[in-house]
Amino acid sequence: MKITNRQPLSLAARVMVFVGLAIGLSLFLIGNLVLSAVERHFAEQDAGELAVMTEAVVEALQSGGNGSAQQTDALANAISGHHGVFFEVRDAQGDAVYSMPGADLSQATDPLSPTSEINAGNVQTWQEGDKTFRGVISQNEVGGRSYSITTAIDMGFHLDFLQSFHRTLWLIMSLAGAITLLAAWYGIHQAHAPLRDLSDRIGDIQADRLHVRLDPASVPSELQGLVTSFNHMIGRLEDSFTRLSHFSADIAHELRTPLTNLITQTQVGLGKARDREEYRELLYSNLEEQERLAKMVNDMLWLAKSDHGLLKPVQTPLDLAREVNALFDFFEALAEEKQIRLILEGQAPPIHGDRAMLRRAISNLLSNAIRLTPSGETVLVQLARTGDQEVSLSVQNPGSEIPAEHLPNIFDRFYRVDPSRARQSEGAGLGLAIVKSIVEAHGGRAEATSARNMTTFTLTFLED
């Protein structure tokens, strides 16, 4: 079964759908309210006319007396001059006293209930053949006799008007809705103009223009947060791009020197015939450069894996004091050769970590400290519990201070405080970068301070 990814609706389409639904619902409600108001108006108008008709019939009954012929004449002329109106009068026994020709109102007595007051709320509508009537039955006392008067109005004219009004109203509403939607679309299109302009400006930023920043004040307030976030992102990209460029240049520089040494030594060795010992010395010299290259490549591969989260520490309980003493045994010969003392102070609770990785980080710090410590001095390792369930390991050595401006970059790859001494160093400038990546892989942090001819590197871990 093939699954297709549907493209999300555009912002304009989403807003237009919402606006269209809102306008359609609003116009529908307004139209129905208008129609209800018109129908209510006609109902009130008809109720008023029915009340007038009933009063006229009552007056005719009063003036007609009890004579049948005189009463019939009075009733026949009661509502003369009115068109589309009908009435019927019955006595208390239900016998017809008078029924106006043109409509049979005798059928209306069943659905209608007598009322003493005529208003829009108690008039009724019924169908007779192809005609629709609206009427009411009222009870009246005339000359001591009770009469039931049924009055009705032919609604044909009203219905024709309402039907025509209904069509006209919905046509007007439809046109109003279409015009409103068009205006809304134009407004949305114009409102998106700053967004389109911002997109064009962002699209103009290339790798060689990462220094460009957008001005938040030049865009509407709704887009200022987006512009600020974009500027922060570009800043991070610029910093990463700069670091990557420097890293590439440093790699090329670091690889060029041992490769040049290998080529030069090989060319010299092949320049003339030499005895076995000279070739052996040449091979040993080349081997040193090759080992240096191999170590550099391995370190770079290790850091690349660390950057991509491919190195997962194997968590086991570790006693930092025991690990440091084990490393002291390893560096003891080198320290004695330089007449440097290695001292461990303090205690710390166990932590969870990868033994091989943490030993590599601590050994890098000890190696640097021994190399930079003057003869006869001491390299001090301190363990402490710093609170908030954190444990610190500090490696402190005397020697030249590291200027404050270099400390923020001291853990960067290939970074050296004194580039002129780079070739005199045994390392490639990756040791501290590896230390930082190992500590961060364990959820800790690495820091460096330098003052009063004393440099301290501190590794902080979470307590077990």
Side-chain angles (χ1 to χ4, degrees):
M1 181 177 179
K2 184 178 181 181
I3 299 177
T4 58
N5 293 326
R6 297 179 59 186
Q7 184 176 3
L9 285 175
S10 66
L11 295 178
R14 296 183 186 192
V15 176
M16 287 300 297
V17 168
F18 176 78
V19 172
L21 291 175
I23 291 175
L25 180 61
S26 299
L27 292 179
F28 177 78
L29 293 175
I30 292 172
N32 281 287
L33 288 174
V34 171
L35 288 175
S36 297
V38 172
E39 291 176 357
R40 179 72 178 176
H41 169 73
F42 278 124
E44 292 175 351
Q45 187 181 44
D46 291 345
E49 189 168 354
L50 291 172
V52 172
M53 290 170 55
T54 301
E55 290 177 1
V57 172
V58 170
E59 289 178 0
L61 287 173
Q62 291 174 344
S63 63
N66 294 327
S68 298
Q70 186 179 0
Q71 189 179 60
T72 300
D73 292 338
L75 290 173
N77 296 318
I79 54 174
S80 60
H82 293 266
H83 298 284
V85 295
F86 308 93
F87 73 92
E88 182 182 78
V89 180
R90 291 181 179 272
D91 58 19
Q93 289 73 33
D95 297 328
V97 176
Y98 179 85
S99 180
M100 188 174 178
D104 184 8
L105 299 183
S106 62
Q107 304 296 324
T109 57
D110 292 335
L112 298 183
S113 299
T115 181
S116 58
E117 182 181 356
I118 300 175
N119 54 54
N122 54 30
V123 297
Q124 302 291 328
T125 302
W126 72 91
Q127 191 81 21
E128 184 180 327
D130 59 348
K131 291 185 178 181
T132 303
F133 294 93
R134 174 177 282 156
V136 66
I137 298 177
S138 61
Q139 296 290 341
N140 295 273
E141 293 286 337
V142 179
R145 302 178 63 180
S146 177
Y147 293 94
S148 174
I149 302 174
T150 304
T151 52
I153 297 175
D154 185 356
M155 294 183 63
F157 174 77
H158 291 350
L159 294 177
D160 291 341
F161 173 82
L162 287 173
Q163 187 175 6
S164 176
F165 180 77
H166 186 276
R167 290 194 301 267
T168 304
L169 176 64
W170 289 119
L171 177 61
I172 293 173
M173 290 293 184
S174 300
L175 291 175
I179 294 173
T180 305
L181 283 175
L182 183 62
W185 175 85
Y186 181 74
I188 293 170
H189 179 76
Q190 291 299 106
H192 284 171
L195 192 58
R196 292 192 296 273
D197 178 64
L198 181 62
S199 178
D200 293 338
R201 289 157 61 188
I202 291 175
D204 290 337
I205 298 178
Q206 305 295 330
D208 58 342
R209 301 185 65 220
L210 292 178
H211 63 282
V212 174
R213 298 292 183 272
L214 302 179
D215 183 11
S218 65
V219 298
S221 58
E222 293 83 358
L223 298 179
Q224 289 180 356
L226 176 63
V227 170
T228 301
S229 298
F230 177 79
N231 287 338
H232 291 162
M233 180 192 71
I234 286 294
R236 293 192 297 270
L237 285 177
E238 182 183 20
D239 181 64
S240 298
F241 192 80
T242 301
R243 289 175 179 270
L244 181 60
S245 299
H246 292 167
F247 183 57
S248 300
D250 289 337
I251 289 177
H253 179 74
E254 294 293 336
L255 293 178
R256 181 181 61 182
T257 300
L259 288 174
T260 300
N261 291 342
L262 285 172
I263 293 172
T264 301
Q265 291 174 169
T266 303
Q267 288 174 342
V268 171
L270 296 175
K272 64 177 182 178
R274 301 177 184 276
D275 57 29
R276 180 179 299 179
E277 290 301 321
E278 288 177 326
Y279 281 121
R280 183 184 296 272
E281 291 179 4
L282 175 63
L283 291 176
Y284 274 123
S285 179
N286 286 349
L287 179 60
E288 290 179 359
E289 296 294 341
Q290 290 164 358
E291 289 176 344
R292 181 181 174 190
L293 276 174
K295 183 178 184 304
M296 188 186 308
V297 171
N298 288 335
D299 287 346
M300 287 189 293
L301 288 175
W302 196 95
L303 288 170
K305 291 181 180 180
S306 176
D307 290 342
H308 291 83
L310 300 178
L311 296 178
K312 302 297 183 182
V314 178
Q315 303 288 346
T316 57
L318 296 177
D319 184 348
L320 289 178
R322 181 179 299 175
E323 301 302 323
V324 171
N325 284 323
L327 291 173
F328 278 1
D329 293 339
F330 177 78
F331 285 102
E332 183 179 2
L334 178 60
E336 289 181 354
E337 181 182 347
K338 295 193 64 176
Q339 299 181 357
I340 294 174
R341 295 185 301 276
L342 301 177
I343 297 178
L344 172 63
E345 291 182 352
Q347 294 180 345
I351 66 170
H352 260 88
D354 188 298
R355 175 175 282 105
M357 293 174 68
L358 289 179
R359 281 194 176 188
R360 183 172 186 178
I362 300 171
S363 65
N364 282 353
L365 295 181
L366 288 174
S367 176
N368 287 344
I370 292 172
R371 188 176 68 251
L372 299 175
T373 299
S375 179
E377 298 290 344
T378 299
V379 173
L380 177 63
V381 178
Q382 290 182 314
L383 300 177
R385 183 177 183 179
T386 59
D388 296 330
Q389 295 186 335
E390 289 185 342
V391 174
S392 69
L393 183 151
S394 300
V395 179
Q396 185 180 82
N397 69 278
S400 300
E401 292 182 16
I402 301 175
E405 62 271 17
H406 293 287
L407 290 175
N409 304 315
I410 199 68
F411 291 99
D412 292 349
R413 300 168 190 185
F414 297 115
Y415 189 84
R416 289 190 176 88
V417 176
D418 186 3
S420 65
R421 299 182 58 188
R423 297 276 52 87
Q424 301 174 16
S425 174
E426 297 178 359
L430 297 174
L432 292 179
I434 291 176
V435 170
K436 181 180 179 182
S437 66
I438 290 175
V439 175
E440 291 180 348
H442 285 77
R445 61 184 183 275
E447 300 170 317
T449 59
S450 186
R452 301 177 182 176
N453 295 323
M454 191 69 69
T455 300
T456 304
F457 287 90
T458 303
L459 310 182
T460 304
F461 304 95
L462 293 177
E463 183 181 337
D464 185 6

